[in-house]
């Protein structure tokens, strides 16, 4: 009797993981990134290049946006080059695999900066539980030519503290000198 109940309980628990608030928010960030890519590619901002800066799920929006711009450029649907000058990711809940980061270089004219905290417990637990992976860029150095990595552990005390620390992080990144 217990074995018959154990399988459905396991399935119900798995559904909780799929529908948890972080997973829902990440899916919305993915969709927002696709929409942002459409807006940028349509040049609503005019001919001026933009600088994209985001933390946590905001960084995920930018990640998805740049990948969508690269995808559309590769398919010949749009020209993404020259639109994004620089991008700064802070606490990014996305992979640190080099081949994924290489695609960004096709649509970012200047600097690609990964700001990370190795001891970011919140990102570590949430990313690993939802993505079934342990390679979050917001936790470690990204090994990809053209990506600058900045350990911000001394500036940001926790994942939820990125918002209050954006100014300090951007001073360390020194975008104004680029």
């Amino acid at each position: 009797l217990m074995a018959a109940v154990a399988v459905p309980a396991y399935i119900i628990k798995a559904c909780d993981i799929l529908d948890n608030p972080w997973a829902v928010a990440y899916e919305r960030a993915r969709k927002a990134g696709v929409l942002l890519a459409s807006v940028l590619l349509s040049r609503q901002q005019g001919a001026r290049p933009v600088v994209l800066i985001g933390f946590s799920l905001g960084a995920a929006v930018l990640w998805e946006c740049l990948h969508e711009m690269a995808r559309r450029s590769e398919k010949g649907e749009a020209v993404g080059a020259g639109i994004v000058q620089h991008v700064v990711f802070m606490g990014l809940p996305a992979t640190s695999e080099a081949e994924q980061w290489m695609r960004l270089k096709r649509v970012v004219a200047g600097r690609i900066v990964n700001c990370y905290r190795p001891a970011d417990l919140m990102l570590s637990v949430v990313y690993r539980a939802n993505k079934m992976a342990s390679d979050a860029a917001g936790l470690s150095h990204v090994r990809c030519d053209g990506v600058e990595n900045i350990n911000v552990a001394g500036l940001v005390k926790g994942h939820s503290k990125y918002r209050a620390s954006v100014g300090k992080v951007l001073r360390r990144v020194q975008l104004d000198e680029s």
Side-chain angles (χ1 to χ4, degrees), residues 64 69 74 86 114 136 142 145 154:
E64 296 295 337
M69 289 174 70
E74 290 163 2
H86 306 297
N114 175 45
V142 173
D145 291 337

Side-chain angles (χ1 to χ4, degrees), residues 106-128:
R106 297 182 188 134
V107 293
V108 178
R111 296 171 63 193
I112 301 172
V113 182
N114 175 45
C115 299
Y116 66 95
R117 285 188 69 248
D120 190 333
L121 184 61
M122 182 183 300
L123 179 59
S124 176
V125 170
V126 171
Y127 182 78
R128 289 175 183 168

Side-chain angles (χ1 to χ4, degrees), residues 124 127-136:
S124 176
Y127 182 78
R128 289 175 183 168
N130 286 278
K131 295 294 184 179
M132 304 300 180
S134 61
D135 66 340

Side-chain angles (χ1 to χ4, degrees), residues 23-53:
V24 171
Y26 192 90
E27 179 58 21
R28 289 180 180 164
R30 190 191 66 70
K31 290 176 181 177
V34 172
L35 290 172
L36 179 58
S38 295
V39 169
L40 292 175
L41 289 168
S42 70
R43 300 281 186 164
Q44 295 294 316
Q45 79 284 0
R48 298 180 309 273
V50 297
V51 175
L52 302 175
I53 300 167

Side-chain angles (χ1 to χ4, degrees), residues 93-170:
T95 185
S96 60
E97 294 176 9
E99 56 273 3
Q100 295 293 320
W101 286 80
M102 292 294 287
R103 294 184 78 211
L104 302 186
K105 292 169 44 173
R106 297 182 188 134
V107 293
V108 178
R111 296 171 63 193
I112 301 172
V113 182
N114 175 45
C115 299
Y116 66 95
R117 285 188 69 248
D120 190 333
L121 184 61
M122 182 183 300
L123 179 59
S124 176
V125 170
V126 171
Y127 182 78
R128 289 175 183 168
N130 286 278
K131 295 294 184 179
M132 304 300 180
S134 61
D135 66 340
L139 297 171
S140 65
H141 183 95
V142 173
R143 287 164 178 50
C144 179
D145 291 337
V147 175
E148 298 174 42
N149 292 282
I150 300 175
N151 184 337
V152 296
L155 301 173
V156 182
K157 301 302 178 202
H159 193 77
S160 62
K161 304 296 182 190
Y162 271 106
R163 182 178 53 149
S165 304
V166 168
K168 290 186 277 187
V169 171
L170 291 178

Side-chain angles (χ1 to χ4, degrees), residues 59-105:
V61 170
L62 303 182
W63 173 262
E64 296 295 337
C65 168
L66 294 173
H67 278 280
E68 180 67 11
M69 289 174 70
R71 186 190 69 73
R72 290 185 191 181
S73 293
E74 290 163 2
K75 290 178 74 175
E77 296 174 4
V79 177
I83 295 173
V84 178
Q85 180 64 32
H86 306 297
V87 63
V88 178
F89 298 108
M90 294 176 265
L92 175 63
T95 185
S96 60
E97 294 176 9
E99 56 273 3
Q100 295 293 320
W101 286 80
M102 292 294 287
R103 294 184 78 211
L104 302 186
K105 292 169 44 173

